Amino acid sequence: IGRLPMVGAVRSLHSDALVQILTEPKNSLVKQYSKILGFEDVELEFTDDGVAAMAEKAFEINRTQQNIGARRLYAVMEKVLEQISFDAPDRAKKKYVINADYVNEFISKATRDEDLNIFGFAARAGTHKQDGQDE
């Protein structure tokens, strides 16, 4: 017996829900990245406003581009931590504070980059939605 494809309308995740997804699960992205970079003796400290800024950016991008839900958080985290991850082997025993200013700096760079599609930030043709429209 095969599976039947189901299509259903869902509501978009708002930034409060995205903050919960970033921080509350046992294996949340914040905890995963802290642990992974901890293996390189790099300490990450995520402030509340930093986590909120990442969630808000993910929400904004989902609202204006293709809405991929909580998966957008991965792309935002990758962009925010890209330079730290790249420099980690050479910066052992270093501590980084990921606050709203830090997040906004790196996300604003991403929105100016030419190849945004790598990070899931660029809209594909025909995927732009109007405000208030859910997938």
Side-chain angles (χ1 to χ4, degrees):
I1 297 176
R3 295 183 182 181
L4 299 174
M6 300 291 292
V7 177
V10 294
R11 293 186 185 162
S12 296
L13 292 169
H14 291 283
S15 55
D16 293 340
L18 294 171
V19 167
Q20 288 180 305
I21 292 167
L22 276 174
T23 58
E24 290 182 11
K26 179 182 170 189
N27 295 317
S28 70
L29 285 176
V30 167
K31 294 172 188 171
Q32 286 181 34
Y33 276 97
S34 294
K35 190 66 128 177
I36 289 168
L37 288 171
F39 290 124
E40 297 285 348
D41 287 326
V42 172
E43 182 182 350
L44 295 178
E45 179 186 332
F46 291 90
T47 64
D48 290 341
D49 69 328
V51 171
M54 286 187 288
E56 184 60 34
K57 293 297 181 184
F59 173 73
E60 285 177 31
I61 297 166
N62 275 342
R63 187 176 55 77
T64 60
Q65 316 251 339
Q66 183 180 19
N67 189 349
I68 59 173
R71 290 173 290 179
R72 180 75 66 195
L73 293 170
Y74 180 76
V76 170
M77 289 281 288
E78 280 290 311
K79 191 60 184 169
V80 169
L81 299 175
E82 176 183 40
Q83 193 62 48
I84 295 172
S85 297
F86 182 77
D87 292 339
D90 301 326
R91 303 234 176 172
K93 306 227 184 254
K94 176 114 171 130
K95 179 179 181 176
Y96 292 92
V97 177
I98 311 302
N99 58 24
D101 291 336
Y102 189 91
V103 170
N104 291 328
E105 175 186 344
F106 281 90
I107 296 299
S108 68
K109 286 179 184 178
T111 56
R112 289 189 308 251
D113 286 348
E114 290 179 16
D115 192 12
L116 299 177
N117 214 12
I118 294 171
F119 300 101
F121 288 112
R124 287 183 217 115
T127 60
H128 182 74
K129 299 183 316 230
Q130 299 296 321
D131 287 341
Q133 189 178 24
D134 293 330
E135 286 188 335

